[in-house]
């Protein structure tokens, strides 16, 4: 089970940190990602983290502003969002995939096995 939290209302240029707590599984054997869905739009990839914390990947529009990280002992994945923009508004979802070898980057929703319920992020301009 995945539980996402940390969403809220923030002004443009502000910051938020999202958390995704994973229960019932050992995070070490999983890779994780964050996706978002803006009103009236399809869900889109935001960030990926592999088994190694140095293995990360971002969509171009968030590079340099967002940071994905993981804390294995806490079985939690984070998304630190800085310098936020109105186009970052949406429901953010965390997802994990069982991948003990962690060999490939995953950027599409179909590549993930489990999903959190989503947390709403609203950026006011």
């Amino acid at each position: 089970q995945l539980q996402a939290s940390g969403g809220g209302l923030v002004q443009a240029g502000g910051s938020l940190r999202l958390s995704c707590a994973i229960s019932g599984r050992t995070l070490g054997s999983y890779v994780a990602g964050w996706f978002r869905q803006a009103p009236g739009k399809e869900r889109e990839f935001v960030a990926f983290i592999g088994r190694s914390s140095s293995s990360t990947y971002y969509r171009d529009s968030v590079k340099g502003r967002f940071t994905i990280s993981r804390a294995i002992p806490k079985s939690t994945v984070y998304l630190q969002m800085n310098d936020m923009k109105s186009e970052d508004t949406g429901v953010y979802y965390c997802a994990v995939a069982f991948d003990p070898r962690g060999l490939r980057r995953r950027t599409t929703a179909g590549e993930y096995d489990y999903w959190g319920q989503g947390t709403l992020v609203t950026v006011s301009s």
Side-chain angles (χ1 to χ4, degrees), residues 58-106:
Y58 302 90
R59 70 178 300 107
D60 287 345
S61 62
V62 308
K63 286 181 181 177
R65 301 189 298 119
F66 289 14
T67 303
I68 187 171
S69 61
R70 57 193 290 167
I72 292 178
K74 296 182 179 180
S75 291
T76 303
V77 178
Y78 301 99
L79 185 67
Q80 177 67 44
M81 305 184 290
N82 299 327
D83 189 23
M84 297 185 71
K85 304 177 180 181
S86 58
E87 51 263 42
D88 295 323
T89 293
V91 177
Y92 282 68
Y93 299 88
C94 60
V96 298
F98 181 68
D99 191 353
R101 300 181 68 187
L103 295 180
R104 79 174 194 271
R105 176 191 300 164
R106 297 171 185 251

Side-chain angles (χ1 to χ4, degrees), residues 2-125:
L2 279 65
Q3 182 70 40
S5 61
L9 175 64
V10 63
Q11 289 188 335
S15 299
L16 281 177
R17 187 175 82 155
L18 305 183
S19 299
C20 178
I22 301 162
S23 60
R25 290 171 176 83
T26 302
L27 183 59
S29 298
Y30 287 79
V31 296
W34 285 95
F35 289 73
R36 67 187 180 190
Q37 187 167 17
K41 295 186 177 181
E42 294 188 351
R43 190 172 300 190
E44 64 182 16
F45 166 78
V46 176
F48 165 83
I49 187 165
R51 292 196 62 205
S52 167
S53 293
S54 62
S55 178
T56 58
Y57 183 73
Y58 302 90
R59 70 178 300 107
D60 287 345
S61 62
V62 308
K63 286 181 181 177
R65 301 189 298 119
F66 289 14
T67 303
I68 187 171
S69 61
R70 57 193 290 167
I72 292 178
K74 296 182 179 180
S75 291
T76 303
V77 178
Y78 301 99
L79 185 67
Q80 177 67 44
M81 305 184 290
N82 299 327
D83 189 23
M84 297 185 71
K85 304 177 180 181
S86 58
E87 51 263 42
D88 295 323
T89 293
V91 177
Y92 282 68
Y93 299 88
C94 60
V96 298
F98 181 68
D99 191 353
R101 300 181 68 187
L103 295 180
R104 79 174 194 271
R105 176 191 300 164
R106 297 171 185 251
T107 60
T108 62
E111 296 179 279
Y112 289 84
D113 303 316
Y114 305 100
W115 290 80
Q117 84 288 3
T119 184
L120 177 63
V121 172
T122 304
V123 183
S124 63
S125 57

